Amino acid sequence: MNNIIEKRWGSYEIISEKLAHKIKYLYIKPNCRLSDQKHFHRSEHWFILEGELEVVINGTSRIQLKKGDSLDIPVGTWHWPQNVSSDPCVVLETQYGKSFEEEDIERRAY
């Protein structure tokens, strides 16, 4: 397992995948963001291991997270994480639900 998948915003690494959960590290580059997205079959729990992260929830709420903070993202919740600092951000992401496929994503364009 432990393959690192490169993305424009950084990378991710799957560290565990079972029937009921998937766990990965997200490595988010400074001043980069992921797409605004929601999932239909899974919720996520994020724990910030390093750096800082700002998360926009449902297009309105902005939550500031720093090392040691965590956030629950329920199924069907729009979320848009971005590293607003000049240092890398490392997030431990735990997914729970019925499906952990990368295709379980709806992205919203702006």
Side-chain angles (χ1 to χ4, degrees):
M1 202 171 304
N2 292 27
N3 291 331
I4 295 179
I5 310 300
E6 298 293 331
K7 297 293 196 174
R8 62 172 177 70
W9 47 264
S11 60
Y12 69 87
E13 177 181 7
I14 299 170
I15 57 174
S16 177
E17 188 167 8
K18 306 290 183 191
L19 287 176
H21 73 270
K22 181 188 248 183
I23 301 172
K24 44 171 137 165
Y25 289 121
L26 305 177
Y27 304 99
I28 305 171
K29 295 179 196 174
N31 301 306
C32 287
R33 68 180 183 124
L34 285 73
S35 61
D36 190 10
Q37 56 189 261
K38 70 177 176 179
H39 308 286
F40 298 99
H41 302 289
R42 70 176 183 251
S43 62
E44 297 175 342
H45 178 80
W46 292 352
F47 184 81
I48 310 304
L49 296 171
E50 294 179 27
E52 298 177 23
L53 193 66
E54 179 179 83
V55 184
V56 178
I57 301 292
N58 289 322
T60 57
S61 300
R62 290 186 181 269
I63 300 169
Q64 303 294 324
L65 302 170
K66 61 185 181 329
K67 183 177 180 176
D69 290 342
S70 64
L71 176 67
D72 286 314
I73 303 167
V75 172
T77 301
W78 288 102
H79 55 289
W80 172 21
Q82 54 188 342
N83 181 349
V84 294
S85 76
S86 58
D87 296 315
C89 181
V90 180
V91 178
L92 180 65
E93 176 184 274
T94 304
Q95 302 174 359
Y96 299 96
K98 297 177 185 175
S99 172
F100 310 111
E101 301 300 318
E102 287 303 311
E103 293 76 29
D104 180 32
I105 290 180
E106 179 179 344
R107 289 186 172 86
R108 185 160 51 181
Y110 287 97

